[in-house]
Amino acid sequence: MKKIVILGSTGSIGTQAIDVIENSKDFKIVGLAAKSNVELLAKQALKFNPEAVCIVDEDKKEQLKFLLKDTNIKVVSSNEGLTYLSTLENCDIVLNSVVGMAGLLPTIAAIESKKTIALANKETLVCAGEIVMQKAKENDVAILPVDSEHSAIFQCLKDEKNIKRIILTASGGPFFGKTKDELKNVTKKEALKHPNWVMGQKITIDSATLMNKGLEVIEAKWLFNVEAEKITPLVHRQSIIHSMVEFSDNSIIAQLGSADMRIPISYALNYPERKESTGTPLDFSKISSLTFDEPDYDTFKCLSLAFLALKEGNLMGAVLNGANEAAVELFLNDKIKFLDIATLVEGAMKSFDNTMEMTVENVLLADKTAREYVYSNI
């Protein structure tokens, strides 16, 4: 039986992971963590009786303790609590589905504790891919992708080496085909209306700006050790082909499935085995067509900025991500307009002195600097 810690257990990925685990006899949950949803976290803890739980919002720690007062479950809080959970001795796999930069330090701590990583926190590799992958190599730790696109690539690759390119599919979000003029005054409600996936607010906005695809390009570079020139984003509106790999002989292998995250979650948690999943099966008789389009790099500038960050390297991924997190937060709080997200991210990148050494401390500093730029330029 695999013992698992779920960071981000009350979010979209976390709750679907719990659904996968509930329908299997192969896992035991030993740790659960959430940002602020104390009621759901307590409900999960009472059901699965883990060794420890973490509520990142320290103001809610006492409430969680009260809700779990009749148990022996250890209650911790803050980002340090996430790190505590990720290093539990009685743990085999850490599923990191924390949103944003907060996932970096727990991932590093879990790797140093030699835990297998099921990674749904793309920011970990966007901001510090060089450091994280090197630590994984040094500690002989497997990083298993949970994102549907990277899971697809992982499944297509197997032991293949002669990669011509990775074709990273994107739904195009709710604004596919729109012009800049049409996007000037789009609302938060419109941006959160994703055509295919039910996800958290931050990732849904990233999908609308195509920043999510940009972050995935950077993540793919580190996960699969390929250069940017070999990664091709392609808009595939149906979200049925989750990504493809083209090889040197011009053959292409694609991974297909319904738009159900329980399928890649199950694959990562059960790897190297492939087991029965609660995910929705794909019915080919109901598919009328599969379409593919080039992304509009000019209108959806965030995707271009991600390629620029990858080209510049060093700490620019952390700047890109930090500025984007801050800008998305401002958009969700009705402080800026939709197109301002890309403008602020670009400004943060242009203003940053990218000459510092790549260290965890400097990654955190770059993140902080980028956020400060965004908050001071609205």
Side-chain angles (χ1 to χ4, degrees), residues 213-269:
K213 205 52 46 182
L215 299 179
E216 288 177 359
V217 167
I218 300 174
E219 187 181 11
K221 180 261 188 296
W222 292 111
L223 277 173
F224 307 113
N225 192 29
V226 293
E227 297 308 312
E229 295 75 18
K230 290 189 175 183
I231 305 172
T232 304
L234 197 61
V235 176
H236 168 54
R237 295 293 285 161
Q238 295 77 24
S239 295
I240 290 171
I241 295 178
H242 297 299
S243 277
M244 300 175 269
V245 179
E246 183 176 11
F247 298 97
S248 56
D249 63 354
N250 296 322
S251 63
I252 296 176
I253 296 178
Q255 190 268 338
L256 288 73
S258 58
D260 189 330
M261 281 303 300
R262 291 173 296 177
I263 297 172
I265 289 169
S266 176
Y267 186 77
L269 296 185

Side-chain angles (χ1 to χ4, degrees), residues 103-276:
L104 174 60
L105 295 182
T107 300
I108 291 175
I111 290 171
E112 292 176 341
S113 295
K114 303 188 184 304
K115 314 296 186 187
T116 296
I117 309 295
L119 190 63
N121 172 262
K122 59 177 62 66
E123 293 83 359
T124 288
L125 294 181
V126 169
C127 297
E130 180 181 343
I131 295 170
V132 171
M133 296 309 292
Q134 181 60 37
K135 284 186 177 292
K137 183 178 180 181
E138 290 170 355
N139 288 279
D140 194 25
V141 165
I143 298 181
L144 305 173
V146 172
D147 275 352
S148 62
E149 296 85 353
H150 298 93
S151 175
I153 297 163
F154 185 65
Q155 294 179 58
C156 290
L157 282 174
K158 294 296 184 180
D159 295 321
E160 295 275 3
K161 302 297 182 185
N162 297 317
I163 304 171
K164 185 175 180 180
R165 64 173 173 153
I166 285 171
I167 303 169
L168 197 63
T169 56
S171 69
F175 301 137
F176 173 74
K178 300 287 186 182
T179 65
K180 280 186 179 179
D181 282 341
E182 291 173 316
L183 294 177
K184 282 181 179 178
N185 296 306
V186 295
T187 66
K188 175 174 64 178
K189 182 178 179 181
E190 290 172 321
L192 288 170
K193 194 175 181 180
H194 196 281
N196 301 331
W197 297 94
V198 177
M199 306 178 290
Q201 287 193 333
K202 195 268 180 182
I203 191 173
T204 304
I205 299 301
D206 283 349
S207 180
T209 64
L210 289 196
M211 178 61 89
N212 187 54
K213 205 52 46 182
L215 299 179
E216 288 177 359
V217 167
I218 300 174
E219 187 181 11
K221 180 261 188 296
W222 292 111
L223 277 173
F224 307 113
N225 192 29
V226 293
E227 297 308 312
E229 295 75 18
K230 290 189 175 183
I231 305 172
T232 304
L234 197 61
V235 176
H236 168 54
R237 295 293 285 161
Q238 295 77 24
S239 295
I240 290 171
I241 295 178
H242 297 299
S243 277
M244 300 175 269
V245 179
E246 183 176 11
F247 298 97
S248 56
D249 63 354
N250 296 322
S251 63
I252 296 176
I253 296 178
Q255 190 268 338
L256 288 73
S258 58
D260 189 330
M261 281 303 300
R262 291 173 296 177
I263 297 172
I265 289 169
S266 176
Y267 186 77
L269 296 185
N270 285 294
Y271 186 81
E273 296 183 69
R274 189 188 294 272
K275 295 196 174 180
E276 188 172 333

